[in-house]
């Protein structure tokens, strides 16, 4: 645990590495990864290309400019705020439409996230392969894989939707869900709304126009797969004196997980901290990394790769 992940984070990543290497579950699906970024995010997108990006079956760096060297692609936005933080809702609408127009029939699933995310593609594909049976099990054909971390605002905000999928670790849509969303809600729901809370509005439109039946993304022990924070933060939730209770995001995540358990698993508050805030061995995403060094460090631990191997072929 010599890196930013800390001792607890290192141990957690080692558990995940063992799952990646030992799992016999099928991963036979195709996945397109769409990363929203900007021209100033090159260090992060370079790190993604060096690490998890190469395991996606297709990848898009949706940016404010096209650049053949960095791999960024300009995806125009209708936002009055341009490509700034307050323009995120319109940017996301544009990305969804772009995926629909260009890649809908070529991939089984689509994952959308920010450039400070680390995606564990093998685990995500494993979860998505199993999710196909869930999506196709409803006789009314109104189930759609729309997957992520279920945030909760409680009853004070967004009363019509108390839960939404957090955009931090990203959300994953099946091709069926992407088609239904772009042809339906995208055309009529909050079409001109602005703001940084794109995850709230996408979830709200999905909930109101497509389905209220969302897939459970936790594992068999109810441990989370999609994570809104970096592994060093999450792995110390239950360490005395290092539980991050003063951090706003940590408090919201804990509150959301507690309500998630009640909502989806019909269980009351559990008292074992590590059980409540468990990090799944089949985790698919970590988020909110302050430096691209986190992404490369995860790669070293999860795949036993060296920094030299990751940077092979780059001009340093």
């Amino acid at each position: 645990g010599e890196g930013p992940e800390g001792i607890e984070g290192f141990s957690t990543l080692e558990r995940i590495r063992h799952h990646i290497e030992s799992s016999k579950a099928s991963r036979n699906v195709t996945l397109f990864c769409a990363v929203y970024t900007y021209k100033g995010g090159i260090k992060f997108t370079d790190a993604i290309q060096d690490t998890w990006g190469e395991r996606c079956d297709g990848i898009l760096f949706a940016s404010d400019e096209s650049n053949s060297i960095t791999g960024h692609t300009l995806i125009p936005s209708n936002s009055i705020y341009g490509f700034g933080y307050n323009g995120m809702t319109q940017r996301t609408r544009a990305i969804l439409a772009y995926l629909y127009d260009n890649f809908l029939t070529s991939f089984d699933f689509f994952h959308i996230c920010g450039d400070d995310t680390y995606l564990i593609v093998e685990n995500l594909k494993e979860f998505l392969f199993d999710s196909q049976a869930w999506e196709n099990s409803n006789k009314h054909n109104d189930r759609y894989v729309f997957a992520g971390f279920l945030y909760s605002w409680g009853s004070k905000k967004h009363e019509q939707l108390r839960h939404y999928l957090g955009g931090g670790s990203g959300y994953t849509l099946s091709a069926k869900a992407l088609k239904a969303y772009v042809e339906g809600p995208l055309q009529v729901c909050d079409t001109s709304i602005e703001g940084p809370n794109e995850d709230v509005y996408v979830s709200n439109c999905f909930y109101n126009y497509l389905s209220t039946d969302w897939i459970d993304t936790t594992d068999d022990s109810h441990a989370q797969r999609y994570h809104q924070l970096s592994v060093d933060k999450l792995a110390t939730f239950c360490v005395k004196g290092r539980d991050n209770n003063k951090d706003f995001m940590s408090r919201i995540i804990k509150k959301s997980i507690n309500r998630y358990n009640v909502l989806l698993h019909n269980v009351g508050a559990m008292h074992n901290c590590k059980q409540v805030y468990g990090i799944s061995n089949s985790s698919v995403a970590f988020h909110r990394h302050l430096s691209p060094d986190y992404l490369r460090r995860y790669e070293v631990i999860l795949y036993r790769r060296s920094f030299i191997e990751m940077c092979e072929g780059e001009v340093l």
Side-chain angles (χ1 to χ4, degrees):
E2 298 178 355
E5 75 284 346
I7 295 174
E8 296 84 1
F10 181 86
S11 176
T12 299
L13 293 173
E14 281 282 279
R15 285 194 291 106
I16 295 171
R17 179 185 62 78
H18 178 72
H19 177 85
I20 294 171
E21 294 177 352
S22 63
S23 176
K24 303 301 182 183
S26 178
R27 298 163 180 166
N28 189 26
V29 296
T30 54
L31 175 69
F32 189 93
C33 305
V35 181
Y36 51 83
T37 186
Y38 72 112
K39 59 188 175 185
I42 295 172
K43 289 184 178 180
F44 273 102
T45 55
D46 280 352
I48 290 172
Q49 291 189 79
D50 290 342
T51 58
W52 62 263
E54 63 186 27
R55 289 184 284 275
C56 298
D57 299 297
I59 192 164
L60 167 73
F61 294 116
S63 187
D64 54 351
E65 70 171 17
S66 291
N67 188 316
S68 60
I69 296 175
T70 64
H72 288 204
T73 300
L74 170 65
I75 306 296
S77 168
N78 293 325
S79 176
I80 61 175
Y81 299 104
F83 294 90
Y85 185 57
N86 285 324
M88 273 305 305
T89 298
Q90 289 300 318
R91 283 194 69 188
T92 302
R93 287 173 51 81
I95 292 169
L96 288 166
Y98 185 86
L99 296 177
Y100 173 91
D101 288 340
N102 294 278
F103 304 110
L104 178 64
T105 60
S106 300
F107 299 91
D108 299 319
F109 293 93
F110 300 83
H111 186 80
I112 303 173
C113 63
D115 58 16
D116 59 344
T117 301
Y118 187 92
L119 198 64
I120 304 172
V121 174
E122 295 92 340
N123 287 352
L124 179 54
K125 284 188 171 187
E126 187 175 299
F127 166 71
L128 294 175
F129 181 86
D130 289 342
S131 77
Q132 294 174 120
W134 176 89
E135 185 173 62
N136 297 320
S137 64
N138 189 297
K139 64 180 180 179
H140 300 295
N141 198 36
D142 59 355
R143 274 186 169 176
Y144 305 91
V145 172
F146 178 47
F149 176 80
L150 201 64
Y151 259 127
S152 172
W153 278 108
S155 59
K156 293 183 179 180
K157 295 184 179 180
H158 308 288
E159 182 65 30
Q160 58 184 325
L161 179 62
R162 291 189 173 190
H163 304 275
Y164 70 97
L165 297 189
S169 53
Y171 31 84
T172 316
L173 297 89
S174 64
K176 175 185 174 183
L178 177 63
K179 183 177 188 295
Y181 192 89
V182 173
E183 292 179 358
L186 193 75
Q187 308 302 319
V188 295
C189 181
D190 293 334
T191 57
S192 60
I193 202 159
E194 298 278 7
N197 302 320
E198 104 290 341
D199 44 8
V200 173
Y201 296 115
V202 170
S203 298
N204 194 33
C205 292
F206 193 95
Y207 184 92
N208 287 330
Y209 286 84
L210 287 181
S211 178
T212 60
D213 189 7
W214 293 7
I215 190 168
D216 181 4
T217 60
T218 62
D219 67 14
D220 291 341
S221 64
H222 307 326
Q224 301 292 322
R225 287 188 171 102
Y226 289 75
H227 303 291
Q228 299 297 299
L229 295 175
S230 55
V231 71
D232 56 304
K233 296 287 187 182
L234 294 163
T236 54
F237 267 9
C238 299
V239 177
K240 188 175 182 179
R242 297 177 59 197
D243 56 7
N244 303 299
N245 279 327
K246 294 182 179 179
D247 178 76
F248 172 77
M249 285 291 293
S250 297
R251 294 201 307 272
I252 294 298
I253 288 168
K254 288 182 176 181
K255 185 177 181 180
S256 297
I257 290 174
N258 289 333
R259 290 182 172 173
Y260 194 113
N261 286 327
V262 173
L263 176 71
L264 292 181
H265 306 133
N266 297 314
V267 297
M270 294 180 284
H271 301 292
N272 184 320
C273 182
K274 289 185 178 181
Q275 180 185 13
V276 176
Y277 306 121
I279 301 173
S280 175
N281 293 343
S282 57
S283 290
V284 305
F286 292 95
H287 170 246
R288 221 182 187 200
H289 300 104
L290 301 178
S291 162
D293 291 343
Y294 272 86
L295 278 59
R296 292 191 170 93
R297 176 64 177 169
Y298 287 7
E299 192 79 3
V300 168
I301 299 169
L302 292 173
Y303 299 96
R304 305 288 180 88
R305 296 178 66 192
S306 68
F307 279 91
I308 294 175
E309 183 183 357
M310 279 182 269
C311 297
E312 187 177 0
E314 290 188 8
V315 178
L316 302 178

